[in-house]
Amino acid sequence: INEKPTQVSAKAKGCEKKYFRGRPMKRKKKAPVTGSPSYLSLLNPAKAEELGKEIFKIVVLEKGFLDPSLKASSLAKRLGTNTRYFSITMSRRFHCNFSSFLGRLRVEEAMTYMADSRYDEVSLQDMASLVGFSSRQSFISAFQKINGMTPSEYRASVRVG
């Protein structure tokens, strides 16, 4: 009788081998990890510095972060670069990705508004829209991730203190 071994999970059998169509599967060798990816060397340091300054100017100084439709791809296109170089520049210059950068700026702006008594009656939905978040929930999530408390808790702590 010619029986083929069936596929048995490592947990069930307690062994390391897995079978595919009756034959032991070959394990793929992992490529050795080297330094930086090769495309990083293609980004001219002077160009990266200029790109970083332009990103800072548009997003921070001109308060572009308040625009809920601002996307990395559209900003990269506006700056005449591709999204890969844009992403590398964000990582190297600002030590985070574009989404995190925008979130932090928006949360800091919201904190400034919440500390101002003129904005006491502004709802969280309106505050989220005011600082560039597309939804109340994304505002609350980003705020809590950055500050460790909800916007309502922060607002209450500012009023007491």
Side-chain angles (χ1 to χ4, degrees):
I1 300 175
N2 203 1
E3 290 184 26
K4 292 184 180 180
T6 57
Q7 186 172 354
V8 179
S9 71
K11 284 184 181 178
K13 187 83 172 177
C15 66
E16 289 293 318
K17 286 187 178 180
K18 290 186 180 181
Y19 292 90
F20 176 74
R21 293 186 185 173
R23 299 181 305 254
M25 292 175 59
K26 292 183 180 179
R27 294 186 186 259
K28 294 182 179 179
K29 293 181 182 180
K30 294 182 180 178
V33 178
T34 57
S36 300
S38 61
Y39 60 83
L40 289 181
S41 63
L42 300 175
L43 185 59
N44 178 335
K47 173 83 171 150
E49 184 63 27
E50 182 63 30
L51 188 57
K53 286 178 183 178
E54 285 298 311
I55 292 168
F56 185 81
K57 181 181 141 209
I58 293 169
V59 176
V60 180
L61 299 179
E62 296 176 5
K63 294 204 175 218
F65 66 90
L66 297 175
D67 178 6
S69 65
L70 184 64
K71 305 274 186 270
S73 58
S74 61
L75 187 54
K77 189 174 182 178
R78 179 177 165 187
L79 295 171
T81 189
N82 62 45
T83 53
R84 176 172 273 180
Y85 290 160
F86 182 86
S87 176
I88 294 167
T89 301
M90 285 300 304
S91 296
R92 287 187 173 172
R93 174 81 186 246
F94 303 104
H95 308 289
C96 62
N97 64 34
F98 188 65
S99 176
S100 298
F101 186 61
L102 286 183
R104 179 165 297 282
L105 291 171
R106 289 170 175 166
V107 166
E108 288 172 1
E109 187 77 3
M111 290 170 65
T112 303
Y113 288 145
M114 286 186 216
D116 187 337
S117 61
R118 294 178 292 179
Y119 294 91
D120 284 351
E121 300 303 317
V122 176
S123 70
L124 288 182
Q125 177 67 46
D126 292 338
M127 183 66 67
S129 296
L130 188 64
V131 298
F133 282 98
S134 56
S135 74
R136 180 179 161 269
Q137 190 55 49
S138 62
F139 170 57
I140 293 169
S141 296
F143 197 99
Q144 192 160 20
K145 183 178 179 182
I146 290 168
N147 293 314
M149 65 176 83
T150 65
S152 299
E153 292 168 342
Y154 177 79
R155 187 178 258 174
S157 73
V158 169
R159 288 183 183 150
V160 171

